[in-house]
Amino acid sequence: NQNDTFTHNVTVTGTVANKKGIAPEGKIEVELPTAMTFRVDQDGTFQGSDFRVENKSKVGIDVFVDEFRTNAGGNITVKKKEELEAQKTTLNRSNVYLELSGNVGGQTQTVDLAKVSELSDENNRKILNVSGGNTGLIQLQGGAGTAFDTGSSKENPQGIDETGASGDFTLIYKIKKDSK
């Protein structure tokens, strides 16, 4: 009834960081990148990016690549690294491989984004661990094909050699308290 009055309880929770910006005990506060970009130049050279992950918690955290998917509307094809490397000179620049590289326990850990859905063991998707109050680094790296598009040449560019290519992807991270 439009004349009735309703009430609803909303729980409000707050935290106050210490003077070093660290969240209180029992809380995890992490800053992750909200956008990642890459670029492939006219010669097929891949240019990735570095992204900082800031752990504003007292406890260490583990960062996992939980999901990677291609969104509709783009014309970039993400391939597995070994597949692209084997066919690099026969694939055009719209074919790329993407991988994330981080540091887990002092060792470099790399995750091929085209393989994320195949990695059933969560530890194979762990990309980074960051101790409390510290910052970690994730690098987006990759490669691209170097061949001309079908029917294209330097003198007569066709397809992506004329128009370029673009794509949007969704990357989902999972963050957990450090397993140590």
Side-chain angles (χ1 to χ4, degrees), residues 49-60:
S49 305
D50 294 346
F51 302 92
R52 300 201 178 289
V53 176
E54 190 173 348
N55 182 0
K56 295 183 175 185
S57 311
K58 287 187 176 186
V59 298

Side-chain angles (χ1 to χ4, degrees), residues 11-42:
T11 303
V12 177
T13 304
T15 61
V16 176
N18 68 16
K19 287 289 187 183
K20 294 181 181 177
I22 305 296
E25 196 72 43
K27 300 290 181 185
I28 293 178
E29 184 177 336
V30 179
E31 282 187 21
L32 285 167
T34 57
M36 293 182 150
T37 59
F38 67 91
R39 182 177 186 274
V40 176
D41 70 14
Q42 68 275 12

